[in-house]
Amino acid sequence: SQTIHQWPATLVQPVGSPLSLECTVEGTSNPNLYWYRQAAGRGLQLLFYSVGIGQISSEVPQNLSASRPQDRQFILSSKKLLLSDSGFYLCAWDLMAGRETQYFGPGTRLLVL
Amino acid sequence: QKEVEQNSGPLSVPEGAIASLNCTYSDRVSQSFFWYRQYSGKSPELIMSIYSNGDKEDGRFTAQLNKASQYVSLLIRDSQPSDSATYLCAVGGGSYIPTFGRGTSLIVHP
């Protein structure tokens, strides 16, 4: 069966510090991978998606970036965090964008102080 | 711009009642429809998917789809306090990434 991991589970970082969140998927090949952010009381905001190694599409211009160095690994990064980067970061995967279920990881709760 | 609209709630129902959650969408070519449940502080988990007009039942949950009216709903029968959560509607189709609504908060009180 497929499993999706995210770490860390929680993170408290000062403004201006760097960020690296990691997501890995097990039990499937060539998944589409997604990064979402959910601010408190808000909906899911799609940040990045990837259909393959090295292929990244950005949905929202901001100080975040994403990389996919391996088929089942997706990394979200920032060089300098802003207060507005606080939120719940979710990684998700599917096999057929828009036609099959997306499966979400457990999420990383980020608080920028 | 593809839009998915949900009433933010909260929707409050007594235990044992039927909870009805609604979702409308703007893109007529949408083909795939999903309902997710999200408990506070947790990630969304799939409840049901539906692709054809009509009803689809799974236990206490029934999804209803009406493509002509661009409307999809989720009925929860015999609501339990453990059903208290935010319910997210997602709409997809073709090869585009599903669009999520902002969710409806459901409170089931004993």
Side-chain angles (χ1 to χ4, degrees):
Chain A
S1 64
Q2 300 85 5
T3 310
I4 179 168
H5 303 279
Q6 283 186 251
W7 63 91
T10 60
L11 194 58
V12 180
Q13 292 284 97
V15 169
S17 63
L19 173 74
S20 180
L21 303 181
E22 190 163 341
C23 169
T24 59
V25 180
E26 297 177 353
T28 189
S29 297
N30 303 315
N32 300 313
L33 295 173
Y34 306 85
W35 279 113
Y36 290 91
R37 178 171 61 202
Q38 189 175 40
R42 305 288 297 275
L44 291 173
Q45 179 187 29
L46 179 63
L47 302 175
F48 301 94
Y49 69 94
S50 171
V51 299
I53 296 174
Q55 301 178 62
I56 309 294
S57 296
S58 173
E59 290 294 302
V60 182
Q62 53 200 327
N63 69 320
L64 299 173
S65 62
S67 62
R68 185 170 177 173
Q70 301 180 41
D71 180 46
R72 288 168 289 179
Q73 184 185 28
F74 206 21
I75 297 172
L76 182 69
S77 304
S78 174
K79 292 182 179 178
K80 288 186 178 182
L81 284 168
L82 307 173
L83 287 174
S84 58
D85 291 324
S86 294
F88 191 38
Y89 287 81
L90 290 159
C91 180
W93 73 271
D94 64 24
L95 291 178
M96 297 178 71
R99 284 180 280 182
E100 289 191 358
T101 304
Q102 278 193 347
Y103 296 95
F104 289 84
T108 294
R109 191 159 302 280
L110 171 66
L111 179 60
V112 182
L113 300 175
Chain B
Q1 178 97 9
K2 303 175 182 67
E3 295 182 347
V4 177
E5 300 289 339
Q6 294 182 257
N7 188 319
S8 62
L11 173 65
S12 182
V13 301
E15 183 174 357
I18 296 175
S20 178
L21 304 163
N22 304 315
C23 173
T24 59
Y25 59 95
S26 63
D27 191 344
R28 287 193 166 274
V29 301
S30 299
Q31 300 170 10
S32 310
F33 307 85
F34 309 92
W35 282 101
Y36 290 82
R37 177 176 61 200
Q38 186 176 23
Y39 291 114
S40 180
K42 302 295 185 182
S43 60
E45 55 179 342
L46 181 76
I47 297 176
M48 293 187 70
S49 57
I50 186 167
Y51 302 92
S52 303
N53 275 331
D55 295 359
K56 179 180 178 182
E57 186 174 320
D58 184 0
R60 295 187 297 112
F61 299 95
T62 299
Q64 299 176 318
L65 175 61
N66 184 326
K67 291 185 179 180
S69 300
Q70 296 176 238
Y71 177 95
V72 58
S73 64
L74 179 70
L75 301 178
I76 306 175
R77 291 182 299 280
D78 189 24
S79 296
Q80 301 296 309
S82 59
D83 294 325
S84 298
T86 296
Y87 289 80
L88 303 174
C89 172
V91 175
S95 61
Y96 67 77
I97 297 164
T99 301
F100 283 82
R102 298 183 69 167
T104 297
S105 174
L106 173 66
I107 299 172
V108 181
H109 53 86

